[in-house]
C-alpha cells in the first residue's frame, strides 16, 4: 500500500495512492484506523511530506564506499543524529538554494524508515516489525556551511533542504532495492540501497536501548554518493519498489 | 498568565494555572483562542512538558563564565543545535539515569523561549514580539557519552533527559531574572539569567535568515554553570518570575 499526505483546500489530508486516484482518509494509517472520506485525481495532487515526525533521526556515514571516499573510520556501532522538521518539503516542491550559499550545494539520496509503533528496548525482530513503511529522502547539504557551523543547522536544515516522499510504501523489501540519483534525467549516482554498514533495524535496536521511538518517527539511512545541484535543475531520487522523489531547484528570491 | 499542559484521564490538556486551580482549556493558547472547559485542583495535577515543539532548538556556549570555564572561544554569531522530543518530561516526573551511564551525570539550568508565531527573516523587534512566553529547562547530560558519541543522541537525548516546565509564563521580563540550581534544597548554581553572549532575539534573527520558526518551537538558551546529580536527588531549577522546575532522579530499573 502507498500512503501519502496531500494538501486539500489548504489542509493536510492522508491518502491512499492508487494508479489514477488518491483516496482521502479520515486519519493517519500509522497509528489510526482510517476510513475513506473521498477521492481526488492523482494528477492534480499537491504532495506534502508523507509524515511530520516527533523526532527526525538521520544516520551519517553508513555506506562502505562513502566512508572510503571520505577517508572516514567505519563506525563500530550504530549512531544517529538529527534533522529539523522546518526543513521538510514534499515531492514536486522546490528546493530553494539560499542566495548567500557559496561552494558545493549537493543532493544526498536516502532510504527512509517510518516507525509504526512505540518501542523501547527492541530486539532485532521487534525492530524489523516496527517499521510501518518506507519512503525516500534527499538530504540537501550546503558544504561550506557544514564546515563552518558548530551543528548542521544552516547547512542541512534551512527551509526546503529536506524533501521527503512522494509516499510511504508498506509492501517492499526496502534493503533489496537500488537507489538512483538523477539530475535533469542524467544518472549521477546508482547503488544498492541495502549496502549499509548497519541496517535500519540495527539502528532501532541500538537507539531503543536509550530512547523510545514513536509512531511516525523517521530514520534517514545515509547515502553512498552525492552530487552537485544548481538552480534550474530537477533532482530525482528513485528507489526501486518505492517510487521517485522529484524536486526542482530554485534560487532564493527568484 | 501561566499556561501548562497536564494529564487528564490519560490525555494531554492545556490549562491556565491559578493559585489553587487549573482551568482546563479547549485548545492551545499559543495559536488558538481557547475557551474554559473545566477546572482541576492544582495540587493534584500531573504536569506534562508545556509544549511539544515542531523543532527543539538549543543554544550551546552562551554565558561568558561558562565559556571561560570551558576554555572555549566566544561565539562570533548566534548558532543553534537540536534536542529530541522523546527526551521531554514534565515537572515532577523522574529523570531516569540509565544503568550503563558512567562518569559525570549533570544538570544544566536553562531559560526556554516558546515561539508564538510563524516567522521568517525577522527583525530584532519582530523576534522580540514573536515569543509567546517563557519556561524552564534542565539539559540533563551524561558527559562520558557526550565525548564518545558523534552527536548528542545518547548523552543529551535519552528518555527523560529533558525536563521542561512547569508552565509557560507570558508576563515576565525573562532576561532580568536570576537562575538558581538546587540539589536537595542546597544551592549549587546561581546566575543572572540574562547574562548571555547573544540573547534569544539575536538567535531568532539569525535563525530566521535561513529557516522558518513555528508556533510552539522552543529555544533553550544554555547555562552558566552545571552540577552533578545522582539517583535519590531532587533537582530544582528556579528562574525568578517564572517558577520552579523540580524533578527527582531515579536509577533505571529501580
Amino acid at each position: 500500500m502507498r500512503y501519502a499526505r496531500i494538501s486539500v483546500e489548504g489542509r493536510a489530508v492522508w491518502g491512499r495512492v492508487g494508479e489514477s486516484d488518491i483516496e482521502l482518509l479520515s486519519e493517519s494509517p500509522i497509528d489510526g484506523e482510517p476510513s475513506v472520506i473521498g477521492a481526488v485525481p492523482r494528477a492534480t495532487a499537491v504532495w506534502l511530506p508523507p509524515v511530520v515526525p516527533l523526532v527526525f533521526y538521520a544516520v551519517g556515514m553508513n555506506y562502505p564506499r562513502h566512508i572510503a571516499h571520505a577517508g572516514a573510520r567505519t563506525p563500530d556501532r550504530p549512531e544517529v543524529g538529527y534533522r529539523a522538521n522546518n526543513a521538510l518539503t514534499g515531492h514536486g516542491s522546490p528546493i530553494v538554494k539560499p542566495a548567500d550559499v557559496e561552494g558545493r550545494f549537493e543532493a544526498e539520496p536516502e532510504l527512509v524508515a517510518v516507525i509504526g509503533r512505540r518501542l523501547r528496548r527492541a530486539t532485532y525482530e521487534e525492530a524489523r516489525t516496527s517499521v510501518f513503511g518506507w519512503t525516500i529522502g534527499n538530504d540537501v547539504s550546503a558544504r561550506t556551511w557544514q564546515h563552518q557551523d558548530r551543528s548542521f543547522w544552516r547547512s542541512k536544515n534551512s527551509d526546503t533542504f529536506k524533501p521527503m516522499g512522494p509516499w510511504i510504501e508498506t509492501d517492499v523489501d526496502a534493503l533489496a532495492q537500488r537507489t538512483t540519483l538523477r539530475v535533469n534525467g542524467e544518472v549521477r549516482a546508482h547503488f544498492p540501497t541495502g549496502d549499509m554498514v548497519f541496517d535500519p533495524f540495527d539502528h532501532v535496536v541500538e537507539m531503543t536501548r536509550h530512547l523510545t521511538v514513536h509512531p511516525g518517527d523517521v530514520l534517514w539511512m545515509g547515502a553512498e554518493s552525492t552530487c552537485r545541484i544548481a538552480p534550474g535543475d530537477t533532482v530525482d531520487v528513485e528507489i526501486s519498489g518505492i517510487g521517485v522523489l522529484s524536486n526542482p531547484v530554485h534560487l532564493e528570491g527568484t
Side-chain angles (χ1 to χ4, degrees), chain A residues 46-193:
Chain A
V46 176
W47 305 86
L48 301 174
V51 68
V52 177
L54 185 73
V55 183
F56 185 160
Y57 297 100
V59 177
M61 294 283 173
N62 197 34
Y63 282 84
R65 262 196 59 208
H66 184 196
I67 293 167
H69 180 75
R73 200 173 50 83
T74 300
D76 55 8
R77 60 191 167 92
E79 287 204 88
V80 285
Y82 301 98
R83 301 289 182 270
N85 286 336
N86 69 282
L88 288 170
T89 195
H91 170 64
S93 290
I95 296 161
V96 179
K97 181 181 178 181
D100 53 346
V101 158
E102 293 177 1
R104 283 189 295 145
F105 187 64
E106 299 195 328
E108 298 187 5
E110 306 203 3
L111 174 68
V112 178
V114 181
I115 300 295
R117 58 189 176 93
R118 197 181 163 91
L119 200 61
R120 179 76 199 268
R121 296 185 189 88
T123 63
Y124 189 87
E125 183 57 22
E126 286 168 339
R128 214 183 53 72
T129 59
S130 76
V131 173
F132 173 78
W134 304 89
T135 186
I136 302 168
N138 185 350
D139 191 12
V140 173
S141 306
R143 301 297 178 203
T144 304
W145 285 352
Q146 196 170 335
H147 299 135
Q148 288 171 347
D149 293 353
R150 78 164 189 89
S151 72
F152 291 160
W153 73 278
R154 290 186 304 179
S155 59
K156 284 178 175 279
N157 297 296
S158 289
D159 284 350
T160 77
F161 276 26
K162 293 291 151 291
M164 181 166 70
W167 47 61
I168 302 167
E169 170 64 67
T170 61
D171 304 311
V172 63
D173 180 358
L175 300 179
Q177 306 304 316
R178 291 193 69 84
T179 301
T180 306
L181 173 61
R182 283 187 296 269
V183 177
N184 305 325
E186 187 183 314
V187 174
R188 305 294 294 276
H190 188 56
F191 57 89
T193 309

Side-chain angles (χ1 to χ4, degrees), chain A residues 3 14 16 24-37:
Chain A
Y3 293 104
W14 278 94
R16 188 183 294 136
L24 303 179
L25 302 177
S26 58
E27 60 176 328
S28 164
I30 299 179
D31 50 1
E33 296 189 2
S35 50
V36 175
I37 57 173

Side-chain angles (χ1 to χ4, degrees), chain A residues 198-212:
Chain A
F198 294 109
D199 74 22
F201 318 121
D202 294 324
H203 279 84
V204 170
V205 169
E206 181 70 14
M207 290 156 63
T208 62
R209 289 179 58 199
H210 307 292
L211 59 87
T212 304

